[in-house]
Amino acid sequence: MELDETLITKTIVESFTRDFLKITDVDVVIVGAGPSGVTAARYLAEKGFSVVVFERNLYVGGGMWGGGIMFPKIVIQEAAKQILEEVGLKPEKTSRGVYVVDSVEAVSRFTVSAIEAGAKIMVGFNVEDVVIRGFKDKPKICGVVLNWTAVEKSGLHVDPVAIKSKVVVDSTGHEASVVRTAVKKFPEAKLQTKTGEIMGEKPMWVEVGEAEVVKNTCEVLPGLYVAGMAATAVFGSPRMGPIFGGMFLSGKKVAELIAEKLK
Ligand code: 48H
């Protein structure tokens, strides 16, 4: 067989198009492939739901690569140990009582497990809006609007496309960008927070931050869930710095909530 140039082109375009057509209508769209997003993707796919994760970078992992101050180590507490073991990691118990794993191995194992469970991860896509049904004070979020990150960065005027889903998870980290967009477009729609608005992340307090990120993982608007640092930002909880147990536990919790809702 001659390795003709266009054969490669056709293979790429055909394979990508086939993949994309499969994810235009799914059970769950997850925005952001950080620790909370990939964890949620794995659990939901394992339960048999169709799941797609859109990540604006060309790589997955979010804040996991850099560990703390770029020392590539992921620290977790006992409560999250089992989640890491399920993906094949072997958390090392330290004399300080917390556990530690290598960042690169953690990103790799979490990503592979989500894919093996059946989740599709699409990189290079920026979610810029949501799809809704219902107006006034009762919008129901039922999908996302996306474009290539390259289009967003270049400022080209290119219209996006939409993906429909039963629910959407905002696991975009500190930005909580999906909730922010939804609230900006629908100020009438009240969030499930004390003020009904985005409360903003508070300074560091590890113990409280770790407990609250899990507690605040929930459906904030009909059809829209928050997980990970997005939950911290929306509910005005303290940040926790470079400990990741709460992120994995939040990803697991959002998957359980959605599984219950969609069953
Ligand atoms: C597509 C998007 C969009 C968009 C953002 O930041 P992350 O790692 O998120 P979490 O919440 O799973 O984990 C947080 C953790 O990494 C962290 O920062 C901690 C523990 N900080 C504590 C502290 O005190 O600082 O990942 C979010 C991902 C990233 O990969 C973004 O590129 C992506 O979401 N993303 N993808 N469309 N609109 N916005």
Side-chain angles (χ1 to χ4, degrees), residues 23 25-31 40 44 49-54 130-131 140-144 163-170 178 218-226 254-263:
I23 52 94
D25 220 318
V26 290
D27 292 325
V28 188
V29 164
I30 296 177
V31 187
L44 283 162
F49 296 102
S50 54
V51 182
V52 60
V53 184
F54 290 109
V130 289
V131 178
K140 153 107 178 67
I141 282 136
C142 55
V144 293
I163 301 291
K164 295 278 297 289
S165 63
K166 292 177 182 151
V167 297
V168 173
V169 178
D170 182 340
V178 184
C218 68
E219 187 174 15
V220 271
L221 283 176
L224 179 59
Y225 289 74
V226 275
V254 83
E256 287 165 356
L257 293 175
I258 292 170
E260 185 60 30
K261 176 97 172 184
L262 300 185
K263 83 174 180 208

Side-chain angles (χ1 to χ4, degrees), residues 31-37 54-57 61-64 125-127 171-175 177 201 204 227-230 239-244 247:
V31 187
S36 62
F54 290 109
E55 167 54 52
R56 72 152 66 117
N57 285 320
M64 276 198 282
F125 281 105
N126 180 56
V127 169
S171 51
T172 62
H174 297 263
E175 286 178 57
S177 61
E201 183 184 301
M204 197 181 290
M229 283 312 280
R239 66 189 302 187
M240 67 297 288
I243 181 162
F244 287 78
M247 302 302 123

